[in-house]
Coordinates of all heavy atoms in Angstrom, one line a residue:
Chain B
E78 N -10.8 27.7 -10.0 CA -9.8 26.9 -9.5 C -9.7 25.5 -10.2 O -8.8 24.7 -10.0 CB -9.9 26.6 -8.0 CG -9.7 27.9 -7.1 CD -10.1 27.7 -5.7 OE1 -10.9 26.8 -5.4 OE2 -9.7 28.5 -4.8
I80 N -9.1 23.1 -13.3 CA -8.3 23.0 -14.5 C -8.7 21.7 -15.2 O -8.5 20.6 -14.6 CB -6.8 23.0 -14.2 CG1 -6.4 24.2 -13.4 CG2 -6.0 23.0 -15.5 CD1 -5.0 24.1 -12.8
A92 N -0.3 17.3 -11.0 CA -0.2 17.7 -9.6 C 1.1 17.4 -9.0 O 1.8 18.2 -8.4 CB -1.3 16.9 -8.8
L96 N 3.4 20.6 -8.8 CA 3.6 21.2 -7.5 C 5.0 21.0 -7.0 O 5.6 22.0 -6.4 CB 2.6 20.5 -6.5 CG 1.1 20.8 -6.7 CD1 0.2 19.9 -5.9 CD2 0.8 22.3 -6.4
N100 N 7.8 24.3 -6.5 CA 8.2 24.6 -5.1 C 9.7 24.2 -4.9 O 10.1 24.1 -3.7 CB 7.3 23.9 -4.1 CG 5.9 24.6 -4.0 OD1 5.8 25.7 -3.5 ND2 4.9 24.0 -4.6
I156 N 8.2 19.5 0.4 CA 7.4 20.6 -0.3 C 6.1 20.0 -0.8 O 5.3 20.8 -1.4 CB 8.2 21.1 -1.5 CG1 8.7 19.9 -2.4 CG2 9.4 22.0 -1.1 CD1 9.3 20.3 -3.7
L157 N 5.8 18.8 -0.6 CA 4.5 18.2 -1.1 C 4.2 16.9 -0.4 O 5.1 16.1 -0.2 CB 4.7 17.9 -2.6 CG 3.5 17.3 -3.3 CD1 2.2 18.1 -3.3 CD2 3.8 16.9 -4.8
V158 N 2.9 16.7 0.0 CA 2.4 15.5 0.4 C 1.3 15.1 -0.5 O 0.5 15.9 -0.8 CB 1.9 15.6 1.9 CG1 1.3 14.3 2.3 CG2 3.1 15.9 2.8
I173 N -8.0 11.7 5.1 CA -7.4 12.9 4.5 C -7.5 14.2 5.4 O -6.6 15.0 5.5 CB -8.0 13.2 3.1 CG1 -7.7 12.0 2.2 CG2 -7.5 14.5 2.5 CD1 -6.3 11.7 1.9
I176 N -4.9 14.1 7.9 CA -3.6 14.4 7.3 C -3.5 15.9 7.0 O -2.4 16.5 7.1 CB -3.3 13.5 6.0 CG1 -3.3 12.0 6.5 CG2 -2.1 13.9 5.3 CD1 -3.4 11.1 5.3
A177 N -4.6 16.5 6.5 CA -4.6 17.9 6.1 C -4.3 18.8 7.3 O -3.7 19.9 7.1 CB -5.9 18.2 5.5
K178 N -4.8 18.4 8.5 CA -4.5 19.2 9.7 C -3.0 19.3 9.9 O -2.5 20.4 10.2 CB -5.2 18.6 10.9 CG -6.6 19.0 11.0 CD -7.3 18.4 12.3 CE -8.8 18.4 12.1 NZ -9.4 17.2 12.7
I179 N -2.3 18.2 9.7 CA -0.9 18.2 9.9 C -0.2 19.0 8.8 O 0.7 19.9 9.1 CB -0.4 16.7 9.8 CG1 -1.0 16.0 11.0 CG2 1.2 16.7 9.9 CD1 -0.8 14.4 10.9
T180 N -0.5 18.8 7.5 CA 0.2 19.5 6.5 C -0.1 21.0 6.5 O 0.8 21.8 6.2 CB -0.2 19.0 5.1 OG1 -1.7 19.0 4.9 CG2 0.3 17.6 4.9
K181 N -1.3 21.4 6.9 CA -1.7 22.8 7.1 C -0.8 23.5 8.2 O -0.3 24.5 8.0 CB -3.2 23.0 7.4 CG -3.7 24.4 7.1 CD -5.2 24.4 7.2 CE -5.9 23.9 6.0 NZ -7.4 23.9 6.1
E182 N -0.7 22.7 9.3 CA 0.1 23.2 10.4 C 1.5 23.4 10.0 O 2.2 24.4 10.4 CB 0.0 22.1 11.5 CG 0.6 22.4 12.8 CD 0.6 21.1 13.6 OE1 -0.4 20.4 13.7 OE2 1.7 20.7 14.1
N184 N 2.4 23.9 6.9 CA 2.4 24.8 5.7 C 3.0 24.1 4.5 O 3.8 24.6 3.7 CB 3.2 26.1 6.0 CG 2.8 27.2 5.0 OD1 1.7 27.2 4.4 ND2 3.7 28.1 4.9
I185 N 2.6 22.8 4.3 CA 3.0 22.0 3.1 C 1.8 21.7 2.3 O 0.8 21.3 2.8 CB 3.7 20.7 3.6 CG1 5.0 21.1 4.4 CG2 4.1 19.8 2.4 CD1 5.5 19.9 5.2
P186 N 1.9 21.9 0.9 CA 0.7 21.6 0.1 C 0.4 20.1 0.1 O 1.3 19.3 0.1 CB 1.2 22.0 -1.3 CG 2.4 22.8 -1.2 CD 3.0 22.5 0.2
L187 N -0.9 19.8 0.2 CA -1.4 18.4 0.2 C -2.2 18.2 -1.0 O -3.2 18.9 -1.2 CB -2.2 18.2 1.5 CG -2.9 16.8 1.6 CD1 -1.9 15.7 1.6 CD2 -3.8 16.8 2.8
H188 N -1.8 17.2 -1.8 CA -2.6 16.8 -2.9 C -3.3 15.5 -2.6 O -2.7 14.6 -1.9 CB -1.7 16.6 -4.1 CG -2.4 15.8 -5.3 ND1 -2.1 14.5 -5.5 CD2 -3.3 16.2 -6.1 CE1 -2.9 14.1 -6.5 NE2 -3.6 15.1 -6.9
T189 N -4.5 15.3 -3.1 CA -5.2 14.0 -2.9 C -5.7 13.6 -4.3 O -6.3 14.3 -5.0 CB -6.3 14.0 -1.8 OG1 -6.7 12.7 -1.6 CG2 -7.5 14.8 -2.2
N201 N -15.5 17.4 -0.6 CA -15.6 18.8 -0.5 C -14.2 19.3 -0.1 O -13.6 19.0 1.0 CB -16.6 19.3 0.6 CG -16.7 20.8 0.7 OD1 -15.7 21.5 1.0 ND2 -17.9 21.3 0.4
V202 N -13.6 20.1 -1.0 CA -12.2 20.4 -0.8 C -11.9 21.3 0.4 O -10.9 21.2 1.0 CB -11.6 21.2 -2.1 CG1 -11.6 20.2 -3.3 CG2 -12.4 22.4 -2.4
K203 N -13.0 22.0 0.8 CA -12.8 22.9 2.0 C -12.8 22.0 3.3 O -12.0 22.1 4.2 CB -13.9 23.9 2.1 CG -13.7 25.0 1.0 CD -14.7 26.2 1.2 CE -14.7 27.0 0.0 NZ -15.5 26.4 -1.1
L205 N -12.2 18.8 3.4 CA -11.0 17.9 3.4 C -9.8 18.7 3.8 O -8.9 18.1 4.4 CB -10.8 17.3 2.0 CG -11.8 16.1 1.6 CD1 -11.5 15.7 0.1 CD2 -11.6 14.9 2.5
G206 N -9.8 19.9 3.4 CA -8.6 20.8 3.8 C -7.4 20.6 2.9 O -6.3 21.0 3.3
V207 N -7.6 20.0 1.7 CA -6.5 19.8 0.8 C -6.2 21.0 0.0 O -6.9 22.0 0.0 CB -6.7 18.6 -0.1 CG1 -6.8 17.3 0.7 CG2 -8.0 18.7 -0.9
D208 N -5.1 20.9 -0.8 CA -4.7 22.1 -1.6 C -4.8 21.8 -3.1 O -4.8 22.7 -3.9 CB -3.2 22.5 -1.3 CG -3.1 22.8 0.2 OD1 -3.6 23.9 0.6 OD2 -2.5 22.0 1.0
A209 N -4.9 20.5 -3.4 CA -5.0 20.1 -4.8 C -5.7 18.7 -4.8 O -5.5 17.9 -3.9 CB -3.7 20.0 -5.5
L210 N -6.5 18.5 -5.9 CA -7.3 17.3 -5.9 C -7.6 16.9 -7.4 O -7.9 17.7 -8.2 CB -8.7 17.5 -5.2 CG -9.7 16.4 -5.1 CD1 -10.4 16.5 -3.7 CD2 -10.7 16.5 -6.2
S211 N -7.3 15.6 -7.7 CA -7.5 15.0 -9.0 C -8.9 14.3 -9.1 O -9.2 13.6 -8.1 CB -6.4 14.0 -9.3 OG -5.2 14.6 -9.2
L226 N -8.1 18.8 -12.5 CA -7.3 19.1 -11.3 C -7.8 20.3 -10.7 O -7.9 21.4 -11.4 CB -5.8 19.2 -11.7 CG -4.9 19.4 -10.5 CD1 -4.8 18.2 -9.6 CD2 -3.5 19.8 -10.9
W227 N -8.1 20.2 -9.4 CA -8.4 21.4 -8.7 C -7.2 21.8 -7.9 O -6.5 21.0 -7.3 CB -9.6 21.1 -7.7 CG -9.7 22.2 -6.7 CD1 -10.3 23.4 -6.8 CD2 -9.2 22.2 -5.3 NE1 -10.2 24.1 -5.6 CE2 -9.5 23.4 -4.7 CE3 -8.4 21.3 -4.6 CZ2 -9.2 23.8 -3.4 CZ3 -8.0 21.6 -3.3 CH2 -8.4 22.9 -2.7
V228 N -6.8 23.1 -8.0 CA -5.7 23.6 -7.3 C -6.2 24.9 -6.5 O -6.7 25.8 -7.1 CB -4.5 24.0 -8.2 CG1 -3.3 24.5 -7.3 CG2 -4.1 22.8 -9.0
R229 N -6.0 24.9 -5.2 CA -6.5 26.0 -4.4 C -5.8 27.3 -4.9 O -4.6 27.3 -5.2 CB -6.1 25.8 -2.9 CG -6.6 26.9 -2.0 CD -6.0 26.7 -0.6 NE -6.5 25.4 0.0 CZ -7.7 25.2 0.4 NH1 -8.7 26.1 0.3 NH2 -8.1 24.0 1.0
R230 N -6.5 28.4 -5.0 CA -6.0 29.6 -5.4 C -4.8 30.0 -4.5 O -4.8 29.8 -3.3 CB -7.1 30.7 -5.3 CG -6.7 32.0 -6.0 CD -7.6 33.1 -5.8 NE -9.0 32.7 -5.5 CZ -10.1 33.4 -5.7 NH1 -10.0 34.6 -6.2 NH2 -11.2 32.9 -5.3
G231 N -3.7 30.5 -5.1 CA -2.6 30.9 -4.4 C -1.5 29.8 -4.3 O -0.4 30.1 -3.9
V232 N -1.9 28.6 -4.6 CA -0.9 27.5 -4.6 C -0.3 27.4 -6.0 O -0.9 27.4 -7.0 CB -1.6 26.1 -4.3 CG1 -0.6 25.0 -4.5 CG2 -2.2 26.1 -2.9
R233 N 1.1 27.5 -6.0 CA 1.8 27.6 -7.3 C 1.9 26.2 -7.9 O 2.2 25.2 -7.2 CB 3.1 28.3 -7.1 CG 3.0 29.8 -6.8 CD 4.4 30.4 -6.8 NE 5.1 30.2 -8.1 CZ 6.4 29.9 -8.2 NH1 7.1 29.8 -7.1 NH2 6.9 29.7 -9.4
I234 N 1.7 26.1 -9.2 CA 1.9 24.9 -9.9 C 2.5 25.2 -11.3 O 2.2 26.2 -11.9 CB 0.6 24.1 -10.1 CG1 0.8 22.7 -10.6 CG2 -0.5 24.9 -10.9 CD1 -0.3 21.7 -10.4

Side-chain angles (χ1 to χ4, degrees):
Chain B
E78 295 170 339
I80 307 167
L96 291 168
N100 289 287
I156 52 169
L157 175 64
V158 174
I173 299 300
I176 296 169
K178 276 183 201 145
I179 297 166
T180 54
K181 197 171 282 179
E182 187 192 308
N184 202 22
I185 298 165
L187 173 63
H188 166 256
T189 191
N201 184 298
V202 294
K203 289 186 195 81
L205 286 175
V207 295
D208 301 289
L210 180 144
S211 305
L226 181 67
W227 166 81
V228 183
R229 183 187 298 288
R230 195 185 334 201
V232 173
R233 289 186 59 222
I234 187 160

